[in-house]
Amino acid sequence: MATLPNPLPKLTSDPSGRSLGLQLPPGRLMDATFDGPWHEPLLWHAAVRASPGGWSALGTPAGRAGLLPVLVDLGTGQGGPESWELAPGEMSYPGDHDAEDVLAEWWEEDAPDDEDWPGLAGALKLVADPDKRAADVADTLAEGLPWLSAPHLALVPARRSADIPAALGWSGAVHHEEDTARLCTVLRSWEDRFGIRLVALGYDHLAVSVAAPPADLEEADAIAAEHYAFSPDTVLPTQDDTLESYAETLIGARLWHFTWN
């Protein structure tokens, strides 16, 4: 996968991040992968739990240094990122794939009611600045949720927020898609059409903030189809669930959360 120069090695001798224009709290660098230590750190994460305001305080200066923020979950039974069996060397590059081709392929593997792939949803109007929306959602998530019980702020060297899972070699959706870069291709498209930012990452789930959510059921129906292709376990977890009932939950939503069994 094509990457930018990684500024994280500088934190080995400069844990405060001052040489990068940062004021970091105590934290740790992580290089653990499925195949052993990576040749350079994959991420830095704070030693203490995230708190409201932390994303805004670090996000802008970190971006200038080539690092992007994300909340990582250290509270599940699978442990933190050092236990996630990351595989950065196995990832392709998100820019090498087409979002509609990827979604159509996933849809056709398990189309609901044998329906034809409906195509991509149209871009929607921003109702908030995407980065400000991400900070606001991150502040809410810092308070904790059942699926994000111990969020810690992390910094990852990545070109854009959508690329973070592939940059880490995250494999939380491996039973749905082995090449995480293809998931990131879709996230890139959602960045462009819906103003999403990746805000949280766990062992087998991720969450994005949404700055251009659907305003009505027609818009939501189109997006629900993409979500089903992206994560069937999220959209139709039981036989009683429907695409339309899921679509109703998307209207005006500031957060989309996806999980893979």
Side-chain angles (χ1 to χ4, degrees):
M1 174 178 165
T3 59
L4 295 171
N6 186 351
L8 289 179
K10 293 184 179 180
L11 300 182
T12 303
S13 58
D14 175 29
S16 70
R18 290 178 182 173
S19 63
L20 298 174
L22 305 175
Q23 293 182 332
L24 296 178
R28 61 169 297 193
L29 293 167
M30 201 219 75
D31 64 359
T33 76
F34 179 77
D35 294 319
W38 193 239
H39 64 274
E40 60 185 4
L42 292 167
L43 64 82
W44 169 93
H45 73 71
V48 298
R49 181 187 171 112
S51 59
W55 183 288
S56 295
L58 271 183
T60 299
R64 291 195 292 264
L67 299 167
L68 297 179
V70 64
L71 297 174
V72 293
D73 190 5
L74 274 62
T76 66
Q78 291 85 6
E82 70 279 357
S83 304
W84 290 355
E85 299 184 345
L86 304 179
E90 302 300 317
M91 302 295 116
S92 62
Y93 179 56
D96 289 341
H97 310 282
D98 178 80
E100 180 157 21
D101 289 346
V102 171
L103 286 167
E105 179 182 326
W106 290 335
W107 175 276
E108 290 163 4
E109 288 175 358
D110 189 21
D113 299 323
D114 294 323
E115 295 180 16
D116 292 334
W117 165 241
L120 291 183
L124 299 180
K125 182 179 179 180
L126 291 172
V127 297
D129 174 85
D131 295 322
K132 178 64 166 56
R133 173 57 56 89
D136 291 343
V137 170
D139 283 350
T140 300
L141 294 180
E143 299 174 3
L145 289 170
W147 51 264
L148 191 68
S149 59
H152 287 237
L153 184 62
L155 299 176
V156 179
R159 293 177 180 271
R160 51 197 289 181
S161 176
D163 292 357
I164 288 174
L168 293 175
W170 182 76
S171 58
V174 67
H175 296 300
H176 179 62
E177 173 56 60
E178 293 185 357
D179 185 0
T180 300
R182 282 160 52 89
L183 293 169
C184 294
T185 299
V186 175
L187 293 178
R188 281 184 168 203
S189 180
W190 290 351
E191 277 187 346
D192 296 337
R193 289 181 288 139
F194 312 124
I196 70 102
R197 297 289 186 269
L198 182 73
V199 290
L201 197 63
Y203 173 73
D204 58 0
H205 64 97
L206 63 81
V208 302
S209 59
V210 188
D216 56 39
L217 189 57
E218 182 179 0
E219 293 177 348
D221 279 340
I223 294 172
E226 294 191 29
H227 284 198
Y228 174 79
F230 188 76
S231 174
D233 296 330
T234 298
V235 178
L236 300 180
T238 75
Q239 293 182 342
D240 295 330
D241 294 298
T242 65
L243 280 178
E244 183 169 316
S245 63
Y246 176 81
E248 291 173 351
T249 70
L250 301 179
I251 299 172
R254 305 188 315 154
L255 173 74
W256 296 341
H257 177 236
F258 301 95
T259 187
W260 293 265
N261 296 327

